Amino acid sequence: MYTSKTQNNLTVEWKDLNWRKLERVTFKLQKRIFQASKRGDVKAVRKLQKTLIHSWSAKCIAVRKVSQDNQGKNTAGVDGVKSLTPKQRINLARRLRLTGKAKATRRVMIPKPGKDEERPLGIPTIDDRVLQALVKLALEPEWEAKFEPNSYGFRPGRSCHDAIEAIYVGINQKAKYVLDADIAKCYDHIDHKALLSKINTYPTLSRQIKAWLKAGFCVGKELFPTNEGTPQGGVISPLLANIALHGMEERVKQYAETLKGAKWTNRQALSLIRYADDFVILHEDLNVVKKCQEIITEWLSDMGLELKPSKTKLTHTLIEIEGWDYQGAV
């Protein structure tokens, strides 16, 4: 088979790799993972994920993504390695495997656009970033089959324009109340235990993800532990955040079914549209929107998260609302 033959060939060079074939092999495995997840065949999902993580095709693609394609390809982690030569890329692809270990991230503070605040960025080493890219190739198809229809941030084939369209479709025929909400420091406060329990993958992969979450971060030469959150700057972090927030939409839809009227109609009338850690809730009844806010606040607490009062507001698509106070509404 192409995979093992190429991997065992010690004379193969980076420039000679057949990328079209490698991408085709990887995509076929991802497609099979997606289909198995869609039909609820957990055993097949796990088996295929292991196959993908051990495949030469996926390893090469993960190395190329991190060392050549990504914007931060020349960013160093705590080991100081900024870039890889073609020979180093081949060697890294050959030795890539789940070890259950991870090096600490390098903490860098970057300014938030248009604000005085700064955002902490945790930069893993190139080796860890490549392994994260490999795990993401295996984990993403499983969760893409599960993710809710109105979740748009950091997902393949989706953008903020899709979220805008979903909001437009929700309000273009009828005036509605809008809860515009933001989760406070979402990446920094995700509960590790709750997240790992939710991912619920096979033990070796679970240990590896836990190692990344618990790796800690370095400021200068000082090491600090990480007891919560996922490091912004990690390749797999956006996917982990999406997994952590998966279920919000279904939770408010369940509440909608308890309202008077047909269940299907109520589910359609209430919308929760999310992009990363920002989301809006749309409904024509003010009390329903307020109740949804309470439900989501309680739901988020299970993941160690909470809404940010300064960025959470209640509005209406047509009329101005006065005298509404976030603190008093929850």
Side-chain angles (χ1 to χ4, degrees), residues 34 37-38 136 139-156 158 195 198-199 236-250 272 274 276 299:
F34 178 88
S37 180
K38 201 79 174 171
K136 188 181 177 185
L139 208 56
E140 195 168 56
E142 176 195 353
W143 282 91
E144 278 299 315
K146 298 177 184 178
F147 282 147
E148 294 158 323
N150 284 317
S151 157
Y152 295 97
F154 305 116
R155 288 183 61 187
R158 292 179 170 228
L195 176 60
K198 201 167 185 179
I199 295 170
I236 204 171
S237 294
L239 175 61
L240 295 181
N242 268 337
I243 292 171
L245 298 176
H246 171 67
M248 288 171 64
E249 186 179 350
E250 183 55 33
L272 186 149
R274 180 173 68 82
W299 186 91

Side-chain angles (χ1 to χ4, degrees), residues 136-288:
K136 188 181 177 185
L137 286 172
L139 208 56
E140 195 168 56
E142 176 195 353
W143 282 91
E144 278 299 315
K146 298 177 184 178
F147 282 147
E148 294 158 323
N150 284 317
S151 157
Y152 295 97
F154 305 116
R155 288 183 61 187
R158 292 179 170 228
S159 70
C160 58
H161 298 288
D162 297 307
I164 292 166
E165 183 186 4
I167 292 169
Y168 172 75
V169 168
I171 64 174
N172 71 334
Q173 305 243 340
K174 190 176 280 189
K176 290 182 179 179
Y177 287 94
V178 182
L179 178 72
D180 182 4
D182 179 81
I183 299 168
K185 295 187 176 178
C186 177
Y187 279 87
D188 299 334
H189 295 308
I190 293 171
D191 184 274
H192 289 172
K193 192 175 179 182
L195 176 60
L196 289 166
S197 174
K198 201 167 185 179
I199 295 170
N200 191 30
T201 189
Y202 63 94
T204 308
L205 183 52
S206 189
R207 277 194 297 273
Q208 186 62 64
I209 294 170
K210 186 177 181 180
W212 286 326
L213 293 174
K214 300 286 186 186
F217 63 91
C218 288
V219 178
K221 291 185 178 180
E222 198 171 350
L223 177 65
F224 297 90
T226 46
N227 299 315
E228 58 182 5
T230 64
Q232 290 188 61
V235 176
I236 204 171
S237 294
L239 175 61
L240 295 181
N242 268 337
I243 292 171
L245 298 176
H246 171 67
M248 288 171 64
E249 186 179 350
E250 183 55 33
R251 180 65 190 89
V252 297
K253 295 283 188 182
Q254 285 171 359
Y255 162 66
E257 289 179 356
T258 65
L259 302 172
K260 286 183 180 179
K263 283 185 180 182
W264 184 85
T265 309
N266 287 338
R267 280 182 74 95
Q268 294 298 108
L270 181 62
S271 304
L272 186 149
I273 298 154
R274 180 173 68 82
Y275 187 91
D277 58 349
D278 296 305
F279 65 92
V280 294
I281 294 175
L282 310 170
H283 197 269
E284 57 189 299
D285 189 324
L286 177 61
N287 292 325
V288 170

Side-chain angles (χ1 to χ4, degrees), residues 293-307:
Q293 183 183 336
E294 291 174 21
I295 290 166
I296 290 298
T297 302
E298 185 182 338
W299 186 91
L300 286 171
S301 66
D302 294 337
M303 290 301 301
L305 301 170
E306 60 183 9
L307 296 178

Side-chain angles (χ1 to χ4, degrees), residues 118-129:
E118 288 188 316
R119 185 195 304 274
L121 205 64
I123 303 166
T125 61
I126 286 184
D127 286 21
D128 276 329
R129 294 207 300 273

